[in-house]
Amino acid sequence: MISCSSKSPTSSTEKETEATAVIGPAGGRLSSSDFVLDVPPGAFSQTVTLNLYSGVEEHPSQAYSVTKLYRLEGLPDNYSDTLKIRIRFQEALDGTSFVAVGGNILNPASGEEQRVYRLFPAQDSAEFLGIGIPADTGYGFNSEGSHRRLKQSQESPLAVYFVGQSGYDTPVVTGHFKIIFPKNLVTHSKLFLPPVLEKAIDSLKALNIDTSLVPFPIEVYIYDFAPADIQRYAMFFPAWGAFSIVFSKQALDDILAYQWVVMAAAARECALAVLCTNDKEYFNVLLQRQARVNPVNYWLHHAVASWFEQKLVPEYPEWLFFKPLDFDLTDHNRQAPFEGLQAGAGNALLSARNHGGGMSTLIRYLTVNYRESAVFRIYDAIKTQAAPVAAVLGCVADEARVMWPDFIKEYVRGNIYNGPFAGDVYASDVHGAFTIDSAEDTLAVFSLAYPDLSGRIFLMELDYPALDTIRLVASGSTIPAEDIAILVFAHKNGSTDPFLMKGETEVILTQVDTLVAQGFEQLWVVVVNSHYTEPGYMSTSTINLNISITMSRQYLVSLWFNIYADLFYNTPANDSMAWSQYVWPNWEPVTGTMSGNSFSAVWDTVTMWDYPYFGEMTLTFNALRDTILTFYSSATIYQNPWTYREITISGSSIPLFRSDEGVDIYDIHGLNVCSHISRLEYHWQAEDGSWWEDLVKFNCADSNYINIMVSPAGQ
């Protein structure tokens, strides 16, 4: 980055009145010793009082300023003939010289006024820099002269700023651009900028975007706008009632590092803005295909423009989920996909721009899933005066009830911009929340308004372990059931993966306690409205979401078995012997949780004789609960202070033998017990290690049996 010049034109920081004049349709002159304005006859349609001030503020670009900074108040919003300006320069001229003409226009990105300057080529004439400002440039900062004032009232005088600039090279002219550089700008940047700007035009044509309405060459001025912040700006003209600024935040090895484009619009939208990166290329964002753009389309244009930023990022893995600048500009932007495809744009330029920044996610989704030709089809429809929502829906073959929920699903899962549901981004910004932290939290109802093509996010905190089933039912009296979708996502450790289930108007989640045991702390429930009403796509309907919870029940399970087995006895002295006998555990009943068709228990307690007893058990049942599909139990039990047994058994397919007053007994006897056992381990040992006994193998015998009794706890 070039350091600021030592040039510092003498000027007072206090406001000084330089001249006053009254000029009407007959024309006239305002002049001081250092500033002259000539107004030709017929230029003004009414009589105005002009006041010229100097020393109004610091120069916008001291590195190249060669005159005082002037503020001229009282100019009419519109004029019809070229105005001629002459300003006395106070520093030696160097290279090409300009007069920077500036004013305040609305910046939709911030909702504030922003000062914008345009450089007019100046002629050196008897110690004065002279320029002419044609009527169609609107003082330079607005091509139509329709100045958009936010802080000033319409009755207050229009203020235009003037300052002489020098120290620029002869312009570089390419096929579509005229580029004016500061003379001491590094050579690398001069060589870099022209070809990448031309590449941007080629990229536009490759995307089948019409450039015929752009009056080439486009002028690009590189100048220091705020040298105190070490920022260098590039201004692009014409912007057709808007402005585009490419700026660099810092110097990188003396190379001008272009970062991005800030776009804003006044009477019209930005017709051409250029996105810049310091790694790869420039890419021109949206070119309107109409002479004037319908304001209702602005959000869509900005969504496409924001998406285009991804065309520029380096092809490295860390850029895979690149997010455009405007996506994270405000919380509303990230919330945009849920606020209504058209309704979320609101009625103001700022809200439409923010909505478009957020809806760049939809454009990316469309281009990834339906190819970039989807963008062509959108603008082919816009060209025929189609509404933006109609253009979006018409660019794909799938119906809205298929495409829209799938887009929301991919967005929430983080498959578009690697978020935004990382961490707790929306923990305080959801449309409804339900915390389940006791057995009494079994019901919640949310009744909300849903705009056309929108969604609502609900957060369920899973703070209670004994959850069995969650039933979600969504209904709307004026919305067809097929246009409603429920999406459910499990959330832990800053992610919303996996996607659990999608349903139309009902979703039933079972074995929720298993999710809790796996560390999932929350469920994100998204209700999606794919319904819409033409032609405005701005209708609103109510959808009710009913959440009902079934808690897991506590059950008492007793598992007994008697299996004939070959055993082996040993001591440290290797005094060993083998024999066969029946193995059975001295297990006591355990209490666990029944969730859906699964039982689980983990215990660490004492026996009725106060000896340690710990282990775990799982059972899975078929849907009718008439068969235990799988069973597993592993436990350690002390029978006295000197010995303990470790027993593990697992198997399958134990049929229901009898049910009696809520107690289910599953039982199998005889020789075929062996075929139902997949694993049996047995170890009996003295606490002091003086002897131990292990199972070698188990055998089939008439007296073998497995008996499992299941009953509700407390019964």
Side-chain angles (χ1 to χ4, degrees), residues 141-375:
F141 54 84
N142 190 316
S143 61
E144 292 188 329
S146 52
H147 181 61
R148 292 290 300 276
R149 284 175 278 173
L150 181 65
K151 296 179 180 177
Q152 295 176 310
S153 67
Q154 292 296 327
E155 291 75 23
S156 63
L158 172 62
V160 182
Y161 297 82
F162 302 88
V163 63
Q165 303 283 105
S166 190
Y168 286 76
D169 269 344
T170 302
V172 176
V173 179
T174 69
H176 298 92
F177 297 91
K178 178 181 179 182
I179 309 165
I180 299 93
F181 290 92
K183 191 173 184 179
N184 56 356
L185 186 65
V186 289
T187 304
H188 177 88
S189 295
K190 294 182 182 181
L191 298 175
F192 174 76
L193 183 58
V196 293
L197 287 177
E198 285 300 317
K199 188 174 182 179
I201 294 296
D202 293 339
S203 298
L204 284 174
K205 293 179 178 178
L207 280 180
N208 196 32
I209 295 180
D210 184 11
T211 62
S212 63
L213 294 176
V214 180
F216 293 112
I218 296 171
E219 299 174 6
V220 183
Y221 301 92
I222 311 296
Y223 62 99
D224 286 335
F225 191 82
D229 296 331
I230 320 179
Q231 295 181 352
R232 191 180 297 278
Y233 284 72
M235 182 73 73
F236 293 78
F237 289 96
W240 293 352
F243 69 95
S244 305
I245 301 176
V246 178
F247 61 96
S248 172
K249 283 291 186 184
Q250 59 184 350
L252 299 175
D253 300 325
D254 291 332
I255 296 175
L256 190 61
Y258 300 96
Q259 299 293 330
W260 55 73
V261 169
V262 175
M263 294 192 304
R268 293 184 183 179
E269 298 165 24
C270 187
L272 176 65
V274 180
L275 173 79
C276 306
T277 71
N278 58 351
D279 282 341
K280 192 174 181 184
E281 62 178 330
Y282 290 65
F283 195 88
N284 287 63
V285 298
L286 185 64
L287 271 175
Q288 59 203 34
R289 290 191 175 194
Q290 309 168 71
R292 285 183 176 272
V293 178
N294 187 339
V296 78
N297 295 343
Y298 181 65
W299 72 266
L300 178 60
H301 296 321
H302 194 65
V304 176
S306 297
W307 162 75
F308 274 159
E309 295 185 27
Q310 296 184 40
K311 305 288 289 185
L312 312 171
V313 299
E315 296 174 349
Y316 303 123
E318 58 267 29
W319 290 89
L320 180 61
F321 294 105
F322 171 81
K323 290 184 286 188
L325 171 68
D326 282 347
F327 174 72
D328 280 326
L329 199 60
T330 70
D331 288 341
H332 172 85
N333 295 24
R334 298 190 298 271
Q335 196 81 342
F338 306 102
E339 298 305 315
L341 189 53
Q342 183 64 50
N347 298 313
L349 186 62
L350 178 58
S351 63
R353 185 181 191 276
N354 289 338
H355 186 64
M359 291 312 300
S360 61
T361 53
L362 176 62
I363 305 302
R364 175 172 168 81
Y365 168 83
L366 294 174
T367 56
V368 169
N369 292 276
Y370 299 94
R371 300 186 179 182
E372 288 187 359
S373 57
V375 178

